[in-house]
Amino acid sequence: MRIHVPEGVPAVVSEAIEAANAHDTERFLDAFAASGTVDDWGRVFTGRDEIRDWSDREFIGLHVTLDDLVFVEIPDGVAVRARVGGSGFNGPSTFTFLVASDAITRMTITA
């Protein structure tokens, strides 16, 4: 699923969202820096292996969908408000992406 991304949003963020919606774990992981982290409501997963394990259990592995996206630029990244669907959590969440050198260094998920 192609998403509409406003100008100024790092391409790697749209790539990660599109990969999640396509249930493509490898493509999703490729968007992260080697030492990148996912902070899922205070639980932190660092590096490709931990992020993969988390995603297999709680994100892409549960056929996540991210729709109704609203992008807000922040220093060093972008916050994305989304309606989450799939076989796990369903409802609104905010995904805050910090980006450096064309890679996601941190994705934080909150309400």
PDB file of all heavy atoms in Angstrom, residues 93-106:
ATOM      1  N   SER A  93      -2.701   5.359  17.741  1.00  0.00           N
ATOM      2  CA  SER A  93      -1.376   5.416  18.362  1.00  0.00           C
ATOM      3  C   SER A  93      -0.553   6.477  17.651  1.00  0.00           C
ATOM      4  O   SER A  93      -0.844   6.839  16.511  1.00  0.00           O
ATOM      5  CB  SER A  93      -0.631   4.081  18.246  1.00  0.00           C
ATOM      6  OG  SER A  93      -1.125   3.127  19.146  1.00  0.00           O
ATOM      7  N   THR A  94       0.475   6.934  18.334  1.00  0.00           N
ATOM      8  CA  THR A  94       1.443   7.843  17.734  1.00  0.00           C
ATOM      9  C   THR A  94       2.774   7.120  17.642  1.00  0.00           C
ATOM     10  O   THR A  94       3.232   6.525  18.624  1.00  0.00           O
ATOM     11  CB  THR A  94       1.589   9.120  18.573  1.00  0.00           C
ATOM     12  OG1 THR A  94       0.312   9.780  18.620  1.00  0.00           O
ATOM     13  CG2 THR A  94       2.626  10.060  17.965  1.00  0.00           C
ATOM     14  N   PHE A  95       3.362   7.177  16.460  1.00  0.00           N
ATOM     15  CA  PHE A  95       4.667   6.596  16.199  1.00  0.00           C
ATOM     16  C   PHE A  95       5.625   7.770  15.979  1.00  0.00           C
ATOM     17  O   PHE A  95       5.454   8.534  15.027  1.00  0.00           O
ATOM     18  CB  PHE A  95       4.636   5.722  14.943  1.00  0.00           C
ATOM     19  CG  PHE A  95       3.764   4.512  15.086  1.00  0.00           C
ATOM     20  CD1 PHE A  95       2.378   4.619  14.989  1.00  0.00           C
ATOM     21  CD2 PHE A  95       4.316   3.271  15.326  1.00  0.00           C
ATOM     22  CE1 PHE A  95       1.564   3.504  15.123  1.00  0.00           C
ATOM     23  CE2 PHE A  95       3.515   2.147  15.471  1.00  0.00           C
ATOM     24  CZ  PHE A  95       2.133   2.264  15.367  1.00  0.00           C
ATOM     25  N   THR A  96       6.601   7.920  16.862  1.00  0.00           N
ATOM     26  CA  THR A  96       7.579   8.987  16.732  1.00  0.00           C
ATOM     27  C   THR A  96       8.878   8.375  16.224  1.00  0.00           C
ATOM     28  O   THR A  96       9.436   7.485  16.862  1.00  0.00           O
ATOM     29  CB  THR A  96       7.806   9.696  18.075  1.00  0.00           C
ATOM     30  OG1 THR A  96       6.549  10.204  18.532  1.00  0.00           O
ATOM     31  CG2 THR A  96       8.789  10.844  17.924  1.00  0.00           C
ATOM     32  N   PHE A  97       9.304   8.840  15.065  1.00  0.00           N
ATOM     33  CA  PHE A  97      10.507   8.324  14.415  1.00  0.00           C
ATOM     34  C   PHE A  97      11.621   9.360  14.517  1.00  0.00           C
ATOM     35  O   PHE A  97      11.434  10.497  14.085  1.00  0.00           O
ATOM     36  CB  PHE A  97      10.244   8.055  12.933  1.00  0.00           C
ATOM     37  CG  PHE A  97       9.237   6.981  12.653  1.00  0.00           C
ATOM     38  CD1 PHE A  97       7.892   7.290  12.519  1.00  0.00           C
ATOM     39  CD2 PHE A  97       9.644   5.660  12.506  1.00  0.00           C
ATOM     40  CE1 PHE A  97       6.964   6.297  12.230  1.00  0.00           C
ATOM     41  CE2 PHE A  97       8.714   4.662  12.224  1.00  0.00           C
ATOM     42  CZ  PHE A  97       7.373   4.979  12.084  1.00  0.00           C
ATOM     43  N   LEU A  98      12.762   8.953  15.055  1.00  0.00           N
ATOM     44  CA  LEU A  98      13.968   9.767  15.008  1.00  0.00           C
ATOM     45  C   LEU A  98      14.854   9.178  13.918  1.00  0.00           C
ATOM     46  O   LEU A  98      15.001   7.945  13.824  1.00  0.00           O
ATOM     47  CB  LEU A  98      14.687   9.774  16.348  1.00  0.00           C
ATOM     48  CG  LEU A  98      13.887  10.353  17.519  1.00  0.00           C
ATOM     49  CD1 LEU A  98      14.725  10.338  18.791  1.00  0.00           C
ATOM     50  CD2 LEU A  98      13.389  11.757  17.209  1.00  0.00           C
ATOM     51  N   VAL A  99      15.422  10.054  13.089  1.00  0.00           N
ATOM     52  CA  VAL A  99      16.160   9.622  11.907  1.00  0.00           C
ATOM     53  C   VAL A  99      17.521  10.299  11.872  1.00  0.00           C
ATOM     54  O   VAL A  99      17.638  11.495  12.156  1.00  0.00           O
ATOM     55  CB  VAL A  99      15.362   9.967  10.623  1.00  0.00           C
ATOM     56  CG1 VAL A  99      16.154   9.609   9.382  1.00  0.00           C
ATOM     57  CG2 VAL A  99      14.001   9.279  10.630  1.00  0.00           C
ATOM     58  N   ALA A 100      18.539   9.519  11.521  1.00  0.00           N
ATOM     59  CA  ALA A 100      19.891  10.055  11.295  1.00  0.00           C
ATOM     60  C   ALA A 100      20.528   9.246  10.180  1.00  0.00           C
ATOM     61  O   ALA A 100      20.374   8.017  10.129  1.00  0.00           O
ATOM     62  CB  ALA A 100      20.729   9.964  12.565  1.00  0.00           C
ATOM     63  N   SER A 101      21.226   9.929   9.292  1.00  0.00           N
ATOM     64  CA  SER A 101      21.936   9.265   8.189  1.00  0.00           C
ATOM     65  C   SER A 101      21.017   8.323   7.409  1.00  0.00           C
ATOM     66  O   SER A 101      21.384   7.185   7.114  1.00  0.00           O
ATOM     67  CB  SER A 101      23.154   8.520   8.699  1.00  0.00           C
ATOM     68  OG  SER A 101      24.043   9.393   9.341  1.00  0.00           O
ATOM     69  N   ASP A 102      19.802   8.780   7.121  1.00  0.00           N
ATOM     70  CA  ASP A 102      18.840   8.009   6.314  1.00  0.00           C
ATOM     71  C   ASP A 102      18.463   6.661   6.939  1.00  0.00           C
ATOM     72  O   ASP A 102      18.164   5.709   6.217  1.00  0.00           O
ATOM     73  CB  ASP A 102      19.353   7.810   4.893  1.00  0.00           C
ATOM     74  CG  ASP A 102      19.486   9.123   4.146  1.00  0.00           C
ATOM     75  OD1 ASP A 102      18.628  10.003   4.368  1.00  0.00           O
ATOM     76  OD2 ASP A 102      20.431   9.264   3.367  1.00  0.00           O
ATOM     77  N   ALA A 103      18.469   6.570   8.259  1.00  0.00           N
ATOM     78  CA  ALA A 103      18.034   5.367   8.953  1.00  0.00           C
ATOM     79  C   ALA A 103      17.269   5.767  10.214  1.00  0.00           C
ATOM     80  O   ALA A 103      17.557   6.804  10.819  1.00  0.00           O
ATOM     81  CB  ALA A 103      19.225   4.478   9.323  1.00  0.00           C
ATOM     82  N   ILE A 104      16.321   4.948  10.594  1.00  0.00           N
ATOM     83  CA  ILE A 104      15.575   5.197  11.823  1.00  0.00           C
ATOM     84  C   ILE A 104      16.457   4.790  13.002  1.00  0.00           C
ATOM     85  O   ILE A 104      16.929   3.655  13.067  1.00  0.00           O
ATOM     86  CB  ILE A 104      14.251   4.402  11.831  1.00  0.00           C
ATOM     87  CG1 ILE A 104      13.351   4.877  10.702  1.00  0.00           C
ATOM     88  CG2 ILE A 104      13.557   4.528  13.199  1.00  0.00           C
ATOM     89  CD1 ILE A 104      12.156   3.963  10.426  1.00  0.00           C
ATOM     90  N   THR A 105      16.668   5.723  13.917  1.00  0.00           N
ATOM     91  CA  THR A 105      17.443   5.405  15.112  1.00  0.00           C
ATOM     92  C   THR A 105      16.540   5.022  16.271  1.00  0.00           C
ATOM     93  O   THR A 105      16.966   4.287  17.171  1.00  0.00           O
ATOM     94  CB  THR A 105      18.341   6.590  15.526  1.00  0.00           C
ATOM     95  OG1 THR A 105      17.522   7.743  15.743  1.00  0.00           O
ATOM     96  CG2 THR A 105      19.380   6.875  14.443  1.00  0.00           C
ATOM     97  N   ARG A 106      15.281   5.508  16.238  1.00  0.00           N
ATOM     98  CA  ARG A 106      14.337   5.176  17.305  1.00  0.00           C
ATOM     99  C   ARG A 106      12.923   5.356  16.801  1.00  0.00           C
ATOM    100  O   ARG A 106      12.605   6.364  16.162  1.00  0.00           O
ATOM    101  CB  ARG A 106      14.561   6.072  18.516  1.00  0.00           C
ATOM    102  CG  ARG A 106      13.726   5.696  19.734  1.00  0.00           C
ATOM    103  CD  ARG A 106      14.126   6.528  20.946  1.00  0.00           C
ATOM    104  NE  ARG A 106      13.519   6.046  22.148  1.00  0.00           N
ATOM    105  CZ  ARG A 106      14.041   5.122  22.969  1.00  0.00           C
ATOM    106  NH1 ARG A 106      15.222   4.597  22.684  1.00  0.00           N
ATOM    107  NH2 ARG A 106      13.418   4.740  24.056  1.00  0.00           N
TER     108      ARG A 106
END
